[in-house]
Amino acid sequence: GPDDHIALEHGATVLAMELARLQSVVETELRLGRDLMEELLTGGDGERTVALARALGYDIERPHRVVLVECGGTDPEGDALFHAVRRAAGDCSLGSLMGLSRGVIVVLAEVERSWTEFRSAVLFHLTNRQGRCRVGVGGVCQGPAGFPRSHREATLALKMQDAVRTADGTTVFDDLGIYRMLAEVEDTSSVERFVREWLGPLLDYDENKGAELVPTLTHYLECGRSYDLTAEALSVHRNTLKYRLQRIREISGRDLGDPGTRINLQLATRAWATLLALRAKTS
């Protein structure tokens, strides 16, 4: 009857006002959360940052890691990727502090989790599950001052996947081994000289001819000199691989059968990959 209609109209009005209020609160919290993340990644005012975090209910003085997610073929500015990462972070209980930085999604993870499972969860929540998805994980930081370092480490971990041309996956800075040690060298000039000494002719040949000799040598050494594994990693025929290896021997003048030579060549290829990642990180 008429009284019921009036009650429904009043109830709908009150509900609409409450939903508008909640939406405003959510938008404010998201904006403040992005501001907080930006301050943490750029090393902003410590006391102000801690106060803002506490106001939002975040304890940033607990151990955290910066985690970067990049998905090829998916617009990083769009809602789909952001919500996929947010849902995956919720599934893995990583924390809710997220944002966008230089085309990648940034997650400030509060706890240790299986980063491979996190990447799988992101792919699960993406509409286009055939797209690329890469994850880079920085080292642990114990407070606000450590977030910029962890962010740099996560960026380097992500770029290493480009440098070594591996399949999309998850790279943790702590697990980079010799790459990590090379990346932490303050003066890279000695590293560059070592790379030129061992790979110079091959690098020049690749640049002049548009060849892939250095990447071929890299995969060959990383695959334990297995022809089958190397050919699969490079997506080339075994005969193509054999031809490239012969050209590597001729152009470099190195004996790939000598253990000492292989050690230095493998270190040089890893140093070369690290330098590529460092240059990409700063560009």
Side-chain angles (χ1 to χ4, degrees):
D3 292 341
D4 297 325
H5 281 285
I6 293 174
L8 287 172
E9 288 175 357
H10 286 181
T13 301
V14 172
L15 181 59
M17 294 175 61
E18 177 63 8
L19 289 174
R21 184 189 70 81
L22 291 175
Q23 180 65 25
S24 176
V25 170
V26 169
E27 291 176 354
T28 300
E29 288 182 347
L30 287 174
R31 176 177 55 79
L32 292 176
R34 287 193 293 268
D35 292 344
L36 172 61
M37 191 197 72
E38 184 66 24
E39 289 194 17
L40 288 171
L41 298 184
T42 57
D45 183 355
E47 293 184 1
R48 180 183 180 281
T49 303
V50 172
L52 177 58
R54 287 175 178 169
L56 291 171
Y58 294 109
D59 183 4
I60 59 173
E61 295 180 305
R62 294 173 55 191
H64 282 73
R65 287 181 186 265
V66 176
V67 181
L68 303 182
V69 183
E70 182 181 64
C71 294
T74 305
D75 180 11
E77 302 284 352
D79 290 337
L81 176 58
F82 188 87
H83 288 307
V85 176
R86 179 176 60 80
R87 293 188 185 105
D91 293 345
C92 300
S93 301
L94 294 185
S96 58
L97 193 54
M98 295 174 47
L100 181 69
S101 175
R102 298 181 181 180
V104 299
I105 303 297
V106 184
V107 181
L108 304 186
E110 299 177 5
V111 291
E112 295 292 338
R113 284 293 185 269
S114 170
W115 308 114
T116 302
E117 290 181 6
F118 169 62
R119 175 179 175 272
S120 298
V122 174
L123 286 172
F124 176 80
H125 288 293
L126 279 175
T127 303
N128 177 17
R129 298 180 188 175
Q130 301 302 316
R132 299 175 56 192
C133 181
R134 303 186 302 177
V135 175
V137 183
V140 175
C141 51
Q142 299 293 340
F147 279 93
R149 171 189 54 76
S150 186
H151 184 224
R152 290 192 299 270
E153 293 170 351
T155 303
L156 178 65
L158 201 62
K159 296 297 182 183
M160 285 303 303
Q161 295 187 39
D162 279 330
V164 300
R165 304 188 184 186
T166 58
D168 293 342
T170 302
T171 303
V172 181
F173 180 78
D174 293 346
D175 298 336
L176 285 177
I178 187 65
Y179 295 109
R180 173 182 175 180
M181 186 177 71
L182 290 168
E184 292 176 341
V185 174
E186 293 186 4
D187 183 6
T188 60
S189 59
S190 60
V191 178
E192 292 172 354
R193 288 195 299 271
F194 179 77
V195 170
R196 289 299 307 177
E197 176 185 352
W198 284 91
L199 302 178
L202 298 176
L203 291 169
D204 293 339
Y205 185 88
D206 282 352
E207 182 177 359
N208 295 330
K209 302 294 185 179
E212 295 283 324
L213 296 187
V214 175
T216 298
L217 177 61
T218 300
H219 282 288
Y220 176 67
L221 296 173
E222 295 295 335
C223 292
R225 297 190 297 154
S226 167
Y227 276 46
D228 290 336
L229 293 178
T230 306
E232 181 180 354
L234 294 170
S235 299
V236 299
H237 194 273
R238 277 174 60 97
N239 291 337
T240 302
L241 174 61
K242 290 179 180 179
Y243 171 76
R244 288 185 185 179
L245 291 174
Q246 183 58 35
R247 294 295 291 150
I248 288 171
R249 294 184 183 95
E250 294 170 354
I251 295 171
S252 68
R254 305 288 186 182
D255 178 11
L256 300 184
D258 178 66
T261 298
R262 290 200 305 271
I263 290 174
N264 281 298
L265 283 174
Q266 187 162 25
L267 182 57
T269 56
R270 292 188 176 190
W272 165 74
T274 304
L275 291 174
L276 287 181
L278 289 172
R279 290 165 186 163
K281 182 169 69 74
T282 56
S283 62

